[in-house]
Amino acid sequence: MFAALLCTILFSVSITCGHRSAKLIGGTEANFWRLTLAALLLGVWAYAFGIGLGGAAFPLFFLSGAVGIGIGDVAFFQALPRLGSRLTALLIGCLSAPLAALIEWVWLGTTLSTAQILWGLLTVCGVGVALMPGEHMQRTRRDLFVGTLFSVLASLCNSAGGVLSRRAYEVAHAAGEHLDGGNAGFQRVLGGLLLGGICLLVVKRRAFQVQARAPHELVVAASMKKWRGVWPWVLVNGFAGQTLGVSCMQLALESTPAGIVFAILAITPIVVIPFALVLEGERPTAHSLVGGAIAVAGVIALALSG
């Protein structure tokens, strides 16, 4: 439970910084570079203190990352510029928890108690009350439609990726192996990096062709100008979200059903509020405060329900 709560803080920082970096260089490229940074940092940890890419569960962890981080985060970064950090986090948070619980129940047979289901629903409802009012007034109809589609896709992939990690831990434990959160996160991030790199090549292929024909000095100057303003956001995004955040998420998934983990992660939009206020100028409303109190109460009750 503590790992999942810590993950919400780290993901809230990541979402806000990801929104800023996506505005500056585009969601696909911002996603790729944060995954690259996370893969390097987690790789050092995995080979220094873990088993690297070894273990019976590596294929499942890799697939989990390809689905949850690769496809899911590509969709997430496409939703961010269209919906903003708070509304994107709202939609994904409210959908991921029930989808994860449903997938894990159908595939792995994991059931939640009545109390856990009720408190999880209370948490998700609190998030909805906190963030939904008024958000749509600042978005065009096209942005709302496309952003919502990407958010639904991101929710489905995140949920499936989380359940795949749960299954991977079952395989690892059956083989007598133990992977810490950082090592499991490294194996997941590599799957996400592969998909993220493919998406970047597809989206930026024309830009790469233009750069290949342009004078080298102009390419270097343009690259330095672009990265001068964006690198701090990418650095914090990759370190907080895909390095520390994913490690905490993996630690939580090892012992906690995915439906409960994602219900706790649903309060991430609540934690985003102060960051969005400082960095994006989004002021919380009375609904935000009331909904936030409901969501936090739901998480506390969920943790106490055991």
Side-chain angles (χ1 to χ4, degrees), residues 203-284:
V203 172
K204 304 283 288 187
R205 64 187 185 281
R206 293 183 179 177
F208 292 151
Q209 292 171 355
V210 172
Q211 290 179 2
R213 294 192 296 265
H216 178 70
E217 295 77 8
L218 293 179
V219 173
V220 172
S223 179
M224 292 180 62
K225 181 179 180 181
K226 178 181 73 173
W227 282 101
R228 190 177 296 117
V230 75
W231 74 264
W233 304 107
V234 174
L235 180 64
V236 177
N237 185 16
F239 183 69
Q242 292 306 117
T243 303
L244 298 180
V246 167
S247 298
C248 290
M249 180 179 173
Q250 290 302 123
L251 183 61
L253 286 170
E254 182 176 11
S255 58
T256 309
I260 295 179
V261 172
F262 281 103
I264 296 175
L265 292 180
I267 68 167
T268 298
I270 308 299
V271 187
V272 164
I273 290 176
F275 296 103
L277 173 63
V278 174
L279 298 176
E280 301 175 20
E282 295 188 14
R283 294 185 176 276

Coordinates of all heavy atoms in Angstrom, one line a residue, residues 203-284:
V203 N 6.4 8.6 -36.5 CA 5.9 9.9 -36.4 C 6.9 11.0 -36.9 O 6.5 11.9 -37.6 CB 5.5 10.2 -35.0 CG1 5.1 11.7 -34.8 CG2 4.4 9.4 -34.5
K204 N 8.2 10.8 -36.7 CA 9.2 11.8 -37.0 C 10.0 11.4 -38.3 O 11.0 12.0 -38.5 CB 10.2 11.9 -35.8 CG 9.5 12.3 -34.5 CD 9.1 13.7 -34.5 CE 10.3 14.6 -34.3 NZ 9.9 16.0 -34.0
R205 N 9.5 10.5 -39.1 CA 10.3 10.0 -40.2 C 10.6 11.1 -41.2 O 11.7 11.3 -41.7 CB 9.7 8.8 -40.9 CG 8.3 9.2 -41.5 CD 7.6 7.9 -42.1 NE 6.4 8.2 -42.8 CZ 5.3 8.4 -42.2 NH1 5.2 8.4 -40.9 NH2 4.2 8.7 -42.9
R206 N 9.6 12.0 -41.4 CA 9.8 13.1 -42.4 C 10.8 14.1 -41.8 O 11.7 14.6 -42.6 CB 8.5 13.8 -42.7 CG 7.6 12.9 -43.5 CD 6.3 13.6 -43.9 NE 5.4 12.8 -44.6 CZ 4.2 13.2 -45.0 NH1 3.7 14.4 -44.7 NH2 3.4 12.3 -45.7
A207 N 10.7 14.4 -40.5 CA 11.7 15.3 -39.9 C 13.1 14.8 -39.9 O 14.0 15.5 -40.2 CB 11.2 15.6 -38.5
F208 N 13.2 13.5 -39.7 CA 14.6 12.9 -39.8 C 15.1 12.9 -41.2 O 16.3 13.2 -41.4 CB 14.5 11.4 -39.4 CG 14.2 11.2 -37.9 CD1 13.5 10.1 -37.5 CD2 14.6 12.2 -37.0 CE1 13.2 9.9 -36.1 CE2 14.3 12.0 -35.6 CZ 13.6 10.9 -35.2
Q209 N 14.3 12.8 -42.2 CA 14.7 12.9 -43.6 C 15.2 14.3 -43.9 O 16.2 14.5 -44.6 CB 13.6 12.5 -44.6 CG 13.2 11.0 -44.5 CD 12.0 10.6 -45.3 OE1 11.3 11.5 -45.8 NE2 11.7 9.3 -45.4
V210 N 14.5 15.3 -43.4 CA 14.8 16.7 -43.7 C 16.2 17.0 -43.0 O 17.1 17.6 -43.5 CB 13.7 17.6 -43.1 CG1 14.2 19.1 -43.2 CG2 12.5 17.5 -44.0
Q211 N 16.3 16.5 -41.7 CA 17.6 16.7 -41.0 C 18.8 16.1 -41.7 O 19.9 16.6 -41.7 CB 17.4 16.2 -39.6 CG 16.5 17.0 -38.7 CD 16.4 16.4 -37.3 OE1 17.0 15.4 -37.0 NE2 15.5 17.0 -36.5
A212 N 18.5 14.9 -42.3 CA 19.6 14.2 -43.0 C 20.2 15.0 -44.2 O 21.3 14.9 -44.5 CB 19.2 12.8 -43.4
R213 N 19.3 15.8 -44.8 CA 19.7 16.6 -46.0 C 20.2 18.0 -45.6 O 20.8 18.7 -46.4 CB 18.5 16.7 -47.0 CG 18.1 15.4 -47.6 CD 17.2 15.6 -48.8 NE 15.9 16.2 -48.3 CZ 14.8 15.5 -48.0 NH1 14.9 14.1 -48.1 NH2 13.7 16.1 -47.6
A214 N 19.9 18.4 -44.4 CA 20.2 19.8 -43.9 C 21.7 19.9 -43.5 O 22.3 18.9 -43.2 CB 19.4 20.2 -42.8
P215 N 22.3 21.1 -43.6 CA 23.7 21.3 -43.1 C 23.9 20.9 -41.7 O 23.0 21.1 -40.9 CB 23.9 22.8 -43.4 CG 23.0 23.2 -44.4 CD 21.8 22.3 -44.2
H216 N 25.0 20.3 -41.4 CA 25.2 19.7 -40.0 C 25.1 20.8 -39.0 O 24.6 20.7 -37.9 CB 26.5 19.0 -40.0 CG 26.9 18.5 -38.6 ND1 26.2 17.4 -38.0 CD2 27.8 18.9 -37.7 CE1 26.7 17.2 -36.8 NE2 27.7 18.1 -36.6
E217 N 25.7 22.0 -39.3 CA 25.7 23.1 -38.3 C 24.3 23.6 -38.0 O 24.0 23.9 -36.8 CB 26.5 24.3 -38.9 CG 28.0 24.0 -39.1 CD 28.2 23.2 -40.4 OE1 27.3 23.0 -41.2 OE2 29.4 22.8 -40.6
L218 N 23.4 23.6 -39.0 CA 22.0 24.1 -38.7 C 21.3 23.0 -37.8 O 20.5 23.4 -37.0 CB 21.3 24.3 -40.0 CG 21.8 25.4 -40.9 CD1 20.9 25.5 -42.2 CD2 21.7 26.7 -40.1
V219 N 21.6 21.8 -38.1 CA 20.9 20.7 -37.3 C 21.3 20.8 -35.9 O 20.5 20.7 -34.9 CB 21.2 19.3 -37.9 CG1 20.7 18.2 -37.0 CG2 20.6 19.2 -39.3
V220 N 22.6 21.0 -35.6 CA 23.2 21.0 -34.3 C 22.6 22.3 -33.5 O 22.2 22.2 -32.4 CB 24.7 21.1 -34.3 CG1 25.2 21.4 -32.9 CG2 25.3 19.8 -34.8
A221 N 22.6 23.4 -34.2 CA 22.1 24.6 -33.6 C 20.6 24.5 -33.3 O 20.2 24.9 -32.2 CB 22.3 25.8 -34.6
A222 N 19.8 23.9 -34.2 CA 18.4 23.7 -33.9 C 18.1 22.8 -32.7 O 17.3 23.0 -31.9 CB 17.7 23.2 -35.2
S223 N 19.0 21.7 -32.7 CA 18.8 20.7 -31.6 C 19.2 21.3 -30.2 O 18.5 21.1 -29.3 CB 19.7 19.5 -31.9 OG 19.6 18.6 -30.8
M224 N 20.2 22.1 -30.2 CA 20.6 22.8 -29.0 C 19.6 23.8 -28.5 O 19.3 23.9 -27.3 CB 22.0 23.5 -29.1 CG 23.2 22.5 -29.3 SD 24.7 23.4 -29.5 CE 24.8 24.2 -27.9
K225 N 19.0 24.5 -29.4 CA 17.9 25.5 -29.1 C 16.7 24.7 -28.5 O 16.1 25.2 -27.5 CB 17.6 26.3 -30.3 CG 16.5 27.3 -30.0 CD 16.2 28.1 -31.3 CE 15.1 29.1 -31.0 NZ 14.7 29.9 -32.2
K226 N 16.4 23.6 -29.1 CA 15.2 22.9 -28.7 C 15.4 22.3 -27.3 O 14.5 22.4 -26.4 CB 14.9 21.7 -29.7 CG 13.7 20.8 -29.3 CD 13.5 19.7 -30.2 CE 14.5 18.6 -30.1 NZ 14.2 17.5 -31.0
W227 N 16.6 21.7 -27.0 CA 16.8 21.0 -25.8 C 17.1 21.9 -24.6 O 17.0 21.6 -23.5 CB 17.9 20.0 -26.0 CG 17.4 18.7 -26.6 CD1 17.5 18.4 -27.9 CD2 16.6 17.7 -26.0 NE1 16.9 17.2 -28.2 CE2 16.3 16.8 -27.0 CE3 16.1 17.5 -24.7 CZ2 15.6 15.6 -26.8 CZ3 15.4 16.4 -24.5 CH2 15.1 15.4 -25.5
R228 N 17.5 23.2 -25.0 CA 17.8 24.1 -23.9 C 16.6 24.4 -23.0 O 16.8 24.5 -21.8 CB 18.3 25.5 -24.5 CG 18.9 26.4 -23.5 CD 19.4 27.7 -24.1 NE 20.5 27.4 -25.1 CZ 20.5 27.6 -26.4 NH1 19.4 28.1 -26.9 NH2 21.5 27.3 -27.1
G229 N 15.4 24.3 -23.6 CA 14.3 24.6 -22.8 C 13.5 23.4 -22.3 O 12.8 23.4 -21.3
V230 N 13.8 22.2 -22.9 CA 13.0 21.0 -22.6 C 13.7 20.0 -21.7 O 13.0 19.2 -21.0 CB 12.5 20.4 -23.9 CG1 13.6 19.6 -24.5 CG2 11.3 19.4 -23.6
W231 N 15.0 20.0 -21.7 CA 15.7 18.9 -21.0 C 15.4 18.8 -19.5 O 15.3 17.7 -19.0 CB 17.2 19.0 -21.2 CG 18.0 20.1 -20.4 CD1 18.3 21.3 -20.9 CD2 18.4 20.0 -19.1 NE1 18.9 22.0 -19.9 CE2 19.0 21.2 -18.8 CE3 18.4 19.0 -18.1 CZ2 19.6 21.5 -17.5 CZ3 19.0 19.3 -16.9 CH2 19.5 20.5 -16.6
P232 N 15.2 19.9 -18.7 CA 14.8 19.7 -17.3 C 13.5 19.0 -17.1 O 13.4 18.2 -16.2 CB 14.8 21.2 -16.8 CG 15.6 22.0 -17.7 CD 15.3 21.4 -19.1
W233 N 12.5 19.3 -18.0 CA 11.2 18.6 -17.9 C 11.3 17.1 -18.2 O 10.7 16.3 -17.5 CB 10.2 19.3 -18.8 CG 10.1 20.8 -18.5 CD1 10.5 21.8 -19.3 CD2 9.5 21.4 -17.4 NE1 10.2 23.0 -18.7 CE2 9.6 22.8 -17.5 CE3 8.9 20.9 -16.2 CZ2 9.1 23.7 -16.6 CZ3 8.4 21.8 -15.3 CH2 8.5 23.2 -15.5
V234 N 12.1 16.8 -19.2 CA 12.3 15.4 -19.6 C 13.1 14.7 -18.5 O 12.7 13.5 -18.2 CB 13.0 15.3 -21.0 CG1 13.4 13.8 -21.3 CG2 12.2 15.9 -22.1
L235 N 14.1 15.3 -17.9 CA 14.9 14.7 -16.9 C 14.0 14.4 -15.7 O 14.1 13.2 -15.2 CB 16.0 15.6 -16.5 CG 17.0 15.1 -15.4 CD1 17.7 13.9 -15.9 CD2 18.0 16.2 -15.0
V236 N 13.3 15.3 -15.2 CA 12.4 15.1 -14.0 C 11.3 14.1 -14.3 O 11.0 13.2 -13.5 CB 11.8 16.4 -13.5 CG1 10.9 16.1 -12.3 CG2 12.9 17.4 -13.1
N237 N 10.7 14.2 -15.5 CA 9.7 13.3 -15.9 C 10.2 11.8 -15.9 O 9.6 10.9 -15.4 CB 9.2 13.7 -17.3 CG 8.0 12.8 -17.8 OD1 7.4 12.2 -17.0 ND2 7.8 12.9 -19.1
G238 N 11.4 11.6 -16.6 CA 11.9 10.2 -16.6 C 12.3 9.7 -15.3 O 12.1 8.5 -15.0
F239 N 12.9 10.5 -14.5 CA 13.4 10.1 -13.2 C 12.3 9.8 -12.2 O 12.2 8.7 -11.5 CB 14.4 11.1 -12.6 CG 15.0 10.7 -11.3 CD1 15.9 9.6 -11.3 CD2 14.7 11.3 -10.1 CE1 16.5 9.2 -10.1 CE2 15.2 10.9 -8.9 CZ 16.1 9.8 -8.9
A240 N 11.3 10.7 -12.1 CA 10.2 10.6 -11.2 C 9.2 9.5 -11.6 O 8.8 8.7 -10.8 CB 9.5 11.9 -11.0
G241 N 8.8 9.5 -12.9 CA 7.8 8.6 -13.3 C 8.3 7.2 -13.7 O 7.9 6.2 -13.1
Q242 N 9.1 7.1 -14.7 CA 9.5 5.8 -15.3 C 10.6 5.2 -14.5 O 10.9 4.0 -14.7 CB 9.9 6.0 -16.8 CG 8.7 6.3 -17.6 CD 7.5 5.4 -17.5 OE1 6.5 5.8 -17.0 NE2 7.8 4.1 -17.8
T243 N 11.3 5.9 -13.7 CA 12.4 5.2 -12.9 C 11.9 4.9 -11.5 O 11.7 3.7 -11.1 CB 13.6 6.2 -12.8 OG1 14.1 6.5 -14.1 CG2 14.8 5.5 -12.1
L244 N 11.6 5.9 -10.7 CA 11.2 5.7 -9.3 C 9.7 5.2 -9.3 O 9.4 4.3 -8.5 CB 11.4 6.9 -8.5 CG 12.8 7.4 -8.3 CD1 12.9 8.7 -7.4 CD2 13.7 6.3 -7.7
G245 N 8.9 5.9 -10.1 CA 7.5 5.6 -10.0 C 7.1 4.1 -10.5 O 6.4 3.4 -9.8
V246 N 7.7 3.7 -11.6 CA 7.5 2.4 -12.1 C 8.1 1.3 -11.1 O 7.5 0.3 -10.9 CB 8.1 2.2 -13.5 CG1 8.2 0.7 -13.8 CG2 7.3 2.9 -14.5
S247 N 9.2 1.6 -10.4 CA 9.8 0.7 -9.5 C 8.8 0.5 -8.3 O 8.6 -0.6 -7.8 CB 11.1 1.2 -9.0 OG 12.1 1.3 -10.0
C248 N 8.2 1.6 -7.8 CA 7.3 1.5 -6.7 C 6.0 0.8 -7.1 O 5.5 0.0 -6.4 CB 6.9 2.9 -6.2 SG 8.2 3.8 -5.3
M249 N 5.6 1.0 -8.4 CA 4.4 0.3 -8.9 C 4.6 -1.2 -8.9 O 3.8 -2.0 -8.6 CB 4.1 0.9 -10.3 CG 2.8 0.2 -10.9 SD 2.5 1.0 -12.5 CE 1.1 -0.1 -13.1
Q250 N 5.8 -1.6 -9.4 CA 6.1 -3.0 -9.5 C 6.2 -3.6 -8.1 O 5.7 -4.7 -7.9 CB 7.5 -3.2 -10.2 CG 7.4 -2.9 -11.7 CD 6.4 -3.7 -12.4 OE1 5.5 -3.2 -13.1 NE2 6.5 -5.0 -12.3
L251 N 6.7 -2.9 -7.2 CA 6.8 -3.4 -5.8 C 5.4 -3.6 -5.2 O 5.1 -4.6 -4.5 CB 7.6 -2.4 -4.9 CG 7.8 -2.7 -3.5 CD1 8.6 -4.0 -3.4 CD2 8.5 -1.6 -2.7
A252 N 4.5 -2.7 -5.6 CA 3.1 -2.8 -5.1 C 2.4 -4.0 -5.8 O 1.7 -4.7 -5.1 CB 2.3 -1.5 -5.3
L253 N 2.6 -4.2 -7.1 CA 1.9 -5.2 -7.8 C 2.4 -6.6 -7.4 O 1.7 -7.6 -7.6 CB 2.2 -5.0 -9.3 CG 1.4 -3.9 -10.0 CD1 1.9 -3.7 -11.4 CD2 -0.1 -4.2 -10.0
E254 N 3.6 -6.7 -6.8 CA 4.1 -8.0 -6.4 C 3.2 -8.7 -5.3 O 3.0 -9.9 -5.3 CB 5.5 -7.9 -5.9 CG 6.1 -9.2 -5.5 CD 7.6 -9.1 -5.1 OE1 8.1 -8.0 -4.9 OE2 8.2 -10.2 -4.9
S255 N 2.6 -7.8 -4.5 CA 1.8 -8.4 -3.4 C 0.4 -7.9 -3.3 O -0.4 -8.4 -2.4 CB 2.5 -8.1 -2.0 OG 2.7 -6.7 -1.9
T256 N 0.0 -7.0 -4.2 CA -1.4 -6.4 -4.1 C -2.1 -6.6 -5.4 O -1.5 -6.3 -6.5 CB -1.2 -4.9 -3.7 OG1 -0.4 -4.8 -2.6 CG2 -2.6 -4.3 -3.4
P257 N -3.4 -7.0 -5.4 CA -4.1 -7.1 -6.6 C -4.1 -5.8 -7.4 O -4.1 -4.7 -6.9 CB -5.5 -7.4 -6.1 CG -5.3 -8.1 -4.8 CD -4.1 -7.4 -4.2
A258 N -4.1 -5.9 -8.8 CA -4.0 -4.8 -9.6 C -5.1 -3.8 -9.5 O -4.9 -2.6 -9.6 CB -3.9 -5.3 -11.1
G259 N -6.3 -4.3 -9.2 CA -7.5 -3.4 -9.0 C -7.3 -2.5 -7.9 O -7.7 -1.3 -7.9
I260 N -6.7 -3.0 -6.8 CA -6.4 -2.1 -5.6 C -5.3 -1.1 -5.9 O -5.4 0.1 -5.6 CB -6.1 -3.0 -4.4 CG1 -7.3 -3.8 -4.0 CG2 -5.7 -2.1 -3.2 CD1 -7.1 -4.7 -2.8
V261 N -4.2 -1.6 -6.5 CA -3.1 -0.7 -6.9 C -3.6 0.4 -7.7 O -3.3 1.6 -7.5 CB -2.0 -1.5 -7.6 CG1 -0.9 -0.5 -8.1 CG2 -1.4 -2.5 -6.6
F262 N -4.4 0.1 -8.8 CA -4.8 1.2 -9.7 C -5.9 2.1 -9.0 O -6.0 3.2 -9.4 CB -5.3 0.6 -11.0 CG -4.3 0.2 -11.9 CD1 -3.9 -1.2 -12.1 CD2 -3.6 1.1 -12.6 CE1 -2.9 -1.5 -12.9 CE2 -2.5 0.8 -13.5 CZ -2.2 -0.6 -13.7
A263 N -6.6 1.6 -8.1 CA -7.6 2.4 -7.3 C -6.8 3.5 -6.5 O -7.2 4.6 -6.4 CB -8.5 1.6 -6.4
I264 N -5.7 3.0 -5.9 CA -4.9 4.0 -5.2 C -4.2 5.0 -6.1 O -4.1 6.2 -5.9 CB -3.8 3.2 -4.3 CG1 -4.5 2.4 -3.3 CG2 -2.8 4.2 -3.7 CD1 -3.5 1.5 -2.5
L265 N -3.7 4.5 -7.3 CA -3.1 5.4 -8.2 C -4.1 6.4 -8.8 O -3.7 7.4 -9.4 CB -2.5 4.6 -9.4 CG -1.3 3.7 -9.0 CD1 -0.8 2.9 -10.3 CD2 -0.2 4.5 -8.4
A266 N -5.4 6.1 -8.6 CA -6.4 7.0 -9.2 C -6.4 8.4 -8.5 O -6.9 9.3 -9.0 CB -7.8 6.4 -9.1
I267 N -5.8 8.4 -7.3 CA -5.8 9.7 -6.6 C -4.6 10.6 -7.1 O -4.4 11.7 -6.7 CB -5.7 9.6 -5.1 CG1 -4.3 9.0 -4.7 CG2 -6.8 8.8 -4.5 CD1 -4.0 9.2 -3.2
T268 N -3.9 10.1 -8.1 CA -2.8 10.9 -8.7 C -3.3 12.3 -9.2 O -2.6 13.3 -8.9 CB -2.1 10.1 -9.9 OG1 -1.6 8.9 -9.4 CG2 -1.1 11.0 -10.5
P269 N -4.5 12.4 -9.8 CA -4.9 13.7 -10.2 C -5.1 14.7 -9.0 O -5.0 15.9 -9.2 CB -6.3 13.4 -10.9 CG -6.2 12.0 -11.3 CD -5.4 11.3 -10.3
I270 N -5.5 14.1 -7.8 CA -5.6 15.0 -6.7 C -4.2 15.5 -6.3 O -4.1 16.7 -6.0 CB -6.2 14.2 -5.5 CG1 -7.5 13.5 -5.9 CG2 -6.4 15.1 -4.3 CD1 -8.6 14.4 -6.4
V271 N -3.2 14.7 -6.3 CA -1.9 15.1 -6.0 C -1.3 16.1 -7.1 O -0.5 16.9 -6.8 CB -0.9 13.9 -5.8 CG1 0.4 14.3 -5.3 CG2 -1.5 12.9 -4.9
V272 N -1.9 16.0 -8.3 CA -1.4 16.8 -9.4 C -1.8 18.3 -9.2 O -1.2 19.2 -9.6 CB -2.0 16.3 -10.8 CG1 -1.9 17.4 -11.8 CG2 -1.2 15.1 -11.2
I273 N -2.9 18.5 -8.4 CA -3.5 19.8 -8.3 C -2.5 20.9 -7.9 O -2.4 21.9 -8.5 CB -4.7 19.8 -7.3 CG1 -5.9 19.0 -7.9 CG2 -5.1 21.2 -6.9 CD1 -7.1 18.9 -6.9
P274 N -1.7 20.7 -6.8 CA -0.7 21.8 -6.5 C 0.3 22.0 -7.6 O 0.7 23.2 -7.8 CB -0.1 21.3 -5.2 CG -0.4 19.9 -5.1 CD -1.7 19.7 -5.8
F275 N 0.7 20.9 -8.2 CA 1.7 21.1 -9.3 C 1.1 21.8 -10.5 O 1.8 22.6 -11.1 CB 2.2 19.7 -9.7 CG 3.0 19.0 -8.7 CD1 2.4 17.9 -8.0 CD2 4.3 19.3 -8.3 CE1 3.1 17.3 -7.0 CE2 5.0 18.6 -7.3 CZ 4.3 17.6 -6.7
A276 N -0.2 21.5 -10.8 CA -0.8 22.1 -11.9 C -1.1 23.6 -11.6 O -1.0 24.5 -12.5 CB -2.2 21.4 -12.2
L277 N -1.3 23.9 -10.4 CA -1.5 25.3 -10.0 C -0.2 26.1 -10.2 O -0.2 27.2 -10.7 CB -1.9 25.4 -8.5 CG -2.0 26.8 -7.9 CD1 -3.0 27.6 -8.6 CD2 -2.3 26.7 -6.4
V278 N 0.9 25.6 -9.8 CA 2.2 26.3 -9.9 C 2.7 26.4 -11.3 O 3.1 27.4 -11.8 CB 3.2 25.6 -9.0 CG1 4.6 26.3 -9.2 CG2 2.8 25.7 -7.5
L279 N 2.6 25.3 -12.0 CA 3.3 25.2 -13.3 C 2.3 25.6 -14.5 O 2.8 26.0 -15.5 CB 3.8 23.8 -13.6 CG 4.9 23.4 -12.6 CD1 5.4 21.9 -12.9 CD2 6.1 24.3 -12.7
E280 N 1.0 25.3 -14.3 CA 0.1 25.6 -15.4 C -1.0 26.6 -15.1 O -1.8 27.0 -16.0 CB -0.6 24.2 -15.8 CG 0.3 23.2 -16.2 CD -0.4 21.8 -16.5 OE1 -1.6 21.8 -16.7 OE2 0.3 20.8 -16.4
G281 N -1.0 27.1 -13.9 CA -2.0 28.1 -13.5 C -3.4 27.6 -13.3 O -4.3 28.5 -13.4
E282 N -3.6 26.3 -13.2 CA -5.0 25.8 -13.0 C -5.3 25.8 -11.5 O -4.8 25.1 -10.7 CB -5.0 24.3 -13.5 CG -4.8 24.2 -15.0 CD -5.1 22.8 -15.5 OE1 -5.7 22.0 -14.7 OE2 -4.7 22.5 -16.6
R283 N -6.3 26.7 -11.2 CA -6.7 26.8 -9.8 C -7.7 25.8 -9.4 O -8.7 25.6 -10.1 CB -7.3 28.2 -9.5 CG -6.2 29.3 -9.7 CD -6.8 30.7 -9.4 NE -5.8 31.7 -9.5 CZ -4.9 32.0 -8.5 NH1 -5.0 31.3 -7.3 NH2 -4.0 32.9 -8.6
P284 N -7.6 25.2 -8.2 CA -8.6 24.2 -7.8 C -9.9 24.9 -7.4 O -9.9 26.0 -6.9 CB -7.9 23.6 -6.5 CG -7.0 24.6 -6.0 CD -6.5 25.3 -7.3

